[in-house]
Amino acid sequence: MDDALAFRVLRLAKPAFGVQKPLKFQLDEDMISDLIRRSGHNTAASEFHEPFADRTELQSALDACGVGGLMVLTKNFGEAYLGESFVGYISLGNKASYRATEVIVKVELQTSRQKVVLYDNTTSPLPFLGPGSRHDFIVQHDIKELGIHNLICSTVYTAADGERRYTPETFKFTSANPLYVKTKTRQVGGDTFMEACIENFSKNPMVLEYVRFDAAPPLSAVSIDIRDVLMTDFTSDVPLGSYIDQLQVLDVGCGSNYLFRLTRRGGGAAADSAGTALGKLEIKWRGSLGEVGRLQTQQILGPPALTKEVEIKITSISEQIHLERPFQTVVKLQSHVDRQLGPLTLTTASVAGAESTPTQQAAALPDRGMLQPSASPSLRVTADGGDVQLPGDVASSSIVACGVTAHTIETLPPRGVTHLTLSFLPLALGVQQLRGLLLQGVDDSRVYDRLQPVDILVAA
């Protein structure tokens, strides 16, 4: 005996706009020549207004776009995308000539990771299902996995001969990823900047409702997006066109970029170690008829911060710097370790650890290219009423150190800070780079840090 009950599964999807080829045209403009129009025979246009003329004549400009007032139902299952909701209409019909009794219906959705029960009437089965009758119901599930989904529909009923029968049926569909998200992180000082590029991989345009970054504690995220500044509060009465212009429409195959600034509450680098979890990116969009989709990425890991045991920073510098006039800078030495360091030496000499000569104390060559040595005659300049004799290898440099070129720090407390005041002499006009400060250990000559180049403006 064949099975009496059978399943039919339909997907409930919103219809699409019925777009037809615009076959209409404006008879007055397209069919009458300019010669007749200029001759004044306007009555010729009225000859076209005969019965059934509206089948081809444009009544409004909207008719030319091909979008009418009809909606078209989908002819196939369509595309199932991650982050959207699957809504199915399931019909269980009795195709036999007898009545099935004690009908139990169960619907499950199985993926590669889990099996979810969408419908189960085991506790309250149908008393009977007569010949030709059916039992219809709707199931819904949020698609959270990629790949094959098996919709398993099964029923247990009592046949006419009193035998309990089990009838399973399986329907398959595949879910795809509608979006492709690429992220890039970069460390800038104590802040971490995260850039996200979102591309539409689906077959239909979508409107991005929001793109939000949920930072992991103790981080906080701020969106740096010009669209947030230009967005208008539409609670007031504004033209509809202004609202439409500001919608974030993502066409098929197109992308959009977003930038977020991450900071750590209480200070410090946002990504202080390798593999630091920065947070998750949440995206919500809508289809052409308001279908809602929502995706959340996995934890985005930040780049490891370049941790230094001791860091050199310039905290202040003279506001006005003039040519051949010494200027002062305040340098901060910041310890990032929980132990005491020292003794340390901060030098501006080209060769770290070399002994300073009296001439080098007047002017020294900074480290690594700030003052590249070259064979040139010595130069005598006047600084604050006194003459300073510069050797030939320093005379061609743009900025040189004045006074003591090696400063010794006996001890640097754990997480401690030490400030030093240094003097420099500019020898060239324009924008110059101040660099070359080198921090080393006295005992082991270990290099702890080098000063990053700082641009300064030298005036006459």
Side-chain angles (χ1 to χ4, degrees), residues 135-414:
H135 173 60
D136 302 336
F137 55 94
I138 295 175
V139 295
Q140 184 172 353
H141 177 72
D142 294 334
I143 302 176
K144 300 179 181 179
E145 296 182 35
L146 294 172
I148 298 176
H149 289 61
N150 295 317
L151 189 66
I152 304 174
C153 304
S154 60
T155 178
V156 179
Y157 62 95
T158 302
D161 55 3
E163 180 184 358
R164 295 288 289 176
R165 294 189 177 182
Y166 172 72
T167 303
E169 292 187 55
T170 302
F171 304 87
K172 293 184 179 182
F173 66 91
T174 303
S175 64
N177 201 340
L179 299 173
Y180 180 63
V181 182
K182 295 184 294 185
T183 59
K184 182 189 300 182
T185 56
R186 177 170 295 182
Q187 190 76 26
V188 180
D191 299 336
T192 298
F193 290 88
M194 197 276 292
E195 180 186 3
C197 178
I198 302 174
E199 298 181 15
N200 183 5
F201 268 28
S202 68
K203 296 182 179 180
N204 302 300
M206 61 177 63
V207 177
L208 294 179
E209 188 166 320
Y210 65 79
V211 177
R212 185 180 68 224
F213 187 80
D214 297 329
L219 304 179
S220 61
V222 177
S223 175
I224 304 177
D225 195 344
I226 189 62
R227 287 166 291 203
D228 297 336
V229 179
L230 298 178
M231 203 66 179
T232 309
D233 184 8
F234 291 102
T235 56
S236 58
D237 186 14
V238 296
L240 181 60
S242 300
Y243 171 74
I244 295 177
D245 290 341
Q246 298 189 25
L247 291 178
Q248 301 181 35
V249 180
L250 203 60
D251 206 350
V252 178
C254 297
S256 183
N257 293 279
Y258 299 84
L259 183 64
F260 300 89
R261 178 185 179 185
L262 310 180
T263 56
R264 180 180 293 272
R265 300 185 184 97
D272 54 3
S273 61
T276 301
L278 301 180
K280 298 181 180 180
L281 193 67
E282 184 170 328
I283 309 166
K284 185 178 180 181
W285 70 91
R286 292 185 179 272
S288 58
L289 290 176
E291 310 94 315
V292 180
R294 177 179 170 273
L295 278 181
Q296 189 178 66
T297 64
Q298 297 179 349
Q299 284 284 355
I300 299 175
L301 303 181
L306 299 177
T307 56
K308 302 177 181 178
E309 293 189 2
V310 185
E311 186 177 7
I312 304 176
K313 285 186 177 180
I314 292 182
T315 57
S316 66
I317 195 169
S318 302
E319 294 183 0
Q320 295 183 353
I321 300 176
H322 297 279
L323 180 66
E324 299 182 359
R325 294 288 181 179
F327 66 93
Q328 291 185 337
T329 62
V330 178
V331 178
K332 181 178 75 170
L333 305 182
Q334 171 71 58
S335 173
H336 296 294
V337 295
D338 296 327
R339 69 179 188 278
Q340 181 174 295
L341 299 176
L344 306 174
T345 178
L346 180 67
T347 179
T348 58
S350 59
V351 181
E355 296 181 358
S356 300
T357 63
T359 305
Q360 288 175 331
Q361 292 178 358
L365 179 65
D367 182 70
R368 285 203 174 183
M370 184 190 78
L371 305 174
Q372 294 294 343
S374 61
S376 60
S378 61
L379 176 68
R380 181 179 297 273
V381 298
T382 302
D384 292 339
D387 291 342
V388 179
Q389 181 73 25
L390 301 180
D393 58 347
V394 178
S396 61
S397 303
S398 58
I399 300 176
V400 295
C402 293
V404 180
T405 60
H407 300 264
T408 302
I409 301 94
E410 294 297 336
T411 58
L412 187 60

